[in-house]
């Protein structure tokens, strides 16, 4: 069961968010704060890597009640999915969302980079993607 | 395979640090320890916000990157046990609980010379902890 889906751009601004039934009650300022916090945590987790290992940012945060998967594209855009603890293959879903992002958002001539995403086509595909897996 | 082990108190002071990888020690471990504590604090408050049900104790247990997995146990007294391991390691909450209840309680709390809030200097504690951590496989 999925709770939330977010897209955060490379400077930490939240550019897309989607709530699914059962998610925690969060208002818009919480979500904006979340985007910035996740970017910072992603960077910090690379910095505190034990010495001698290749630095890399965090991928999955596990908790008793939920699992958060964060997939970072090569351009720095982060696709984050919050689901319940039993979900597997969350990274595959995030990668699929990245594919839809490049098809429906980046190829849209009216889209300005790093701005909020407000496209029906993208919403529809995201809805389909996460509804099927539920 | 365990890489590093830290114990922090609720204020952020690092009470104990153990490196099991045998690599050269860093010039300024205090900076890294502060970063780790700050990151843990942020992660815990973020996880609390995201839980569908309201809870009092922090539910955050671990996170994974390509290079390592970080496990954390927060006790009700505010102590944080942080462990860096290989990314494929399973959930280690039970072993952190064992370390707290058996090794820490026996060799630190019951040590009459131990001063609370000061760094842990007991050699026996370090030895027992190292022995236990080396037995932790996948």
């Amino acid at each position: 069961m999925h709770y939330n889906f977010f897209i955060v751009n490379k400077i930490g601004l939240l550019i897309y968010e989607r709530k699914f039934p059962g998610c925690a009650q969060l208002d818009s300022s919480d979500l904006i704060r979340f985007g910035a916090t996740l970017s910072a945590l992603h960077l910090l987790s690379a910095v505190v890597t034990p010495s001698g290992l290749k630095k890399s940012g965090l991928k999955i945060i596990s908790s008793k009640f939920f699992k958060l998967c964060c997939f970072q594209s090569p351009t720095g855009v982060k696709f984050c999915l919050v689901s319940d603890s039993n979900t597997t293959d969350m990274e595959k879903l995030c990668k699929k969302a990245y594919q839809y992002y490049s098809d429906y958002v980046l190829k849209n001539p009216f889209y300005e980079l790093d701005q909020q995403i407000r496209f029906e086509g993208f919403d529809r595909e995201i809805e389909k993607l996460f509804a099927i897996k539920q | 395979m365990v890489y590093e082990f830290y114990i922090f108190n609720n204020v952020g002071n690092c009470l104990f640090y153990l490196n099991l990888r045998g690599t050269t020690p860093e010039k300024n471990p205090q900076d890294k320890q502060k970063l780790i504590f700050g990151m843990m604090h942020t992660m815990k408050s973020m996880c609390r916000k995201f839980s569908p049900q309201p809870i009092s104790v922090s539910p955050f247990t671990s996170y994974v990157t390509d290079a390592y997995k970080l496990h954390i146990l927060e006790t009700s007294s505010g102590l944080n046990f942080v462990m860096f391991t290989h990314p494929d390691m399973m959930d280690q909450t039970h072993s952190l609980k064992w370390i707290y209840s058996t090794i820490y309680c026996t060799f630190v709390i019951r040590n009459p010379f131990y001063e609370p809030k000061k760094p842990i200097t007991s050699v026996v504690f370090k030895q027992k902890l190292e022995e236990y951590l080396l037995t932790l496989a996948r």
Side-chain angles (χ1 to χ4, degrees):
Chain A
M1 202 180 105
H2 305 293
Y3 294 137
N4 286 308
F5 174 70
F6 305 95
I7 303 181
V8 183
N9 72 4
K10 60 178 180 289
I11 52 175
L13 288 176
L14 194 71
I15 55 176
Y16 184 77
E17 58 98 6
R18 197 58 191 262
K19 293 191 188 96
F20 300 109
C23 73
Q25 296 307 315
L26 292 164
D27 57 25
S28 50
S29 52
D30 275 338
L31 294 170
I32 295 171
R33 219 175 299 140
F34 162 76
T37 313
L38 190 72
S39 287
L41 287 173
H42 193 93
L43 272 170
L44 277 175
S45 54
V47 172
V48 301
T49 317
S51 52
L53 294 171
K54 182 165 174 260
K55 290 187 195 291
S56 70
L58 59 84
K59 286 193 329 200
I60 299 179
I61 299 178
S62 308
S63 143
K64 233 189 289 186
F65 303 114
F66 69 88
K67 222 155 127 177
L68 189 154
C69 174
C70 174
F71 167 68
Q72 178 167 278
S73 72
T75 48
V77 181
K78 295 176 200 35
F79 296 81
C80 317
L81 175 64
V82 182
S83 309
D84 67 17
S85 334
N86 303 329
T87 318
T88 49
D89 76 1
M90 285 165 75
E91 197 168 343
K92 217 168 49 166
L93 287 173
C94 289
K95 284 189 172 153
K96 203 90 180 103
Y98 178 39
Q99 211 179 319
Y100 290 139
Y101 168 78
S102 57
D103 284 338
Y104 288 89
V105 179
L106 295 179
K107 290 178 188 168
N108 186 326
F110 297 110
Y111 179 65
E112 285 174 41
L113 213 54
D114 292 342
Q115 294 302 316
Q116 292 272 324
I117 296 172
R118 290 196 178 98
F119 300 120
E120 233 180 77
F122 184 66
D123 278 343
R124 203 179 48 228
E125 292 302 323
I126 292 292
E127 184 80 53
K128 257 191 342 201
L129 175 69
F130 293 113
I132 295 169
K133 299 300 171 181
Q134 274 173 20
Chain B
M1 224 218 99
V2 183
Y3 296 150
E4 289 178 349
F5 191 87
Y6 295 82
I7 302 179
F8 294 97
N9 70 359
N10 55 350
V11 185
N13 301 324
C14 182
L15 304 177
F16 186 75
Y17 165 58
L18 182 63
N19 187 345
L20 289 164
R21 290 190 70 232
T23 51
T24 51
E26 282 173 40
K27 285 165 271 190
N28 241 347
Q30 283 86 357
D31 288 347
K32 191 167 179 187
Q33 285 157 13
K34 283 190 196 142
L35 266 179
I36 292 172
F37 181 76
M39 196 173 67
M40 289 299 100
H41 187 80
T42 315
M43 198 85 85
K44 277 188 271 180
S45 47
M46 197 176 83
C47 287
R48 203 168 286 145
K49 270 264 158 68
F50 264 101
S51 295
Q53 307 107 310
I55 23 80
S56 54
V57 183
S58 159
F60 165 55
T61 50
S62 65
Y63 76 74
V64 189
T65 75
D66 279 332
Y68 67 94
K69 186 167 184 178
L70 183 143
H71 309 259
I72 180 168
L73 175 74
E74 187 181 9
T75 69
S76 17
S77 52
L79 270 180
N80 294 290
F81 290 82
V82 179
M83 194 158 74
F84 285 75
T85 69
H86 188 273
D88 293 338
M89 206 125 169
M90 277 176 15
D91 184 45
Q92 293 295 321
T93 314
H94 60 280
S95 49
L96 284 171
K97 281 190 175 154
W98 168 262
I99 290 171
Y100 174 50
S101 60
T102 314
I103 306 178
Y104 181 80
C105 269
T106 313
F107 297 103
V108 179
I109 301 292
R110 295 201 184 138
N111 182 346
F113 298 109
Y114 173 63
E115 293 167 41
K117 300 185 187 174
K118 292 271 167 67
I120 298 167
T121 51
S122 160
V123 176
V124 184
F125 171 70
K126 183 172 173 183
Q127 196 184 1
K128 294 284 173 189
L129 182 65
E130 210 167 320
E131 259 172 42
Y132 178 71
L133 290 177
L134 287 171
T135 63
L136 286 178
R138 302 282 171 88

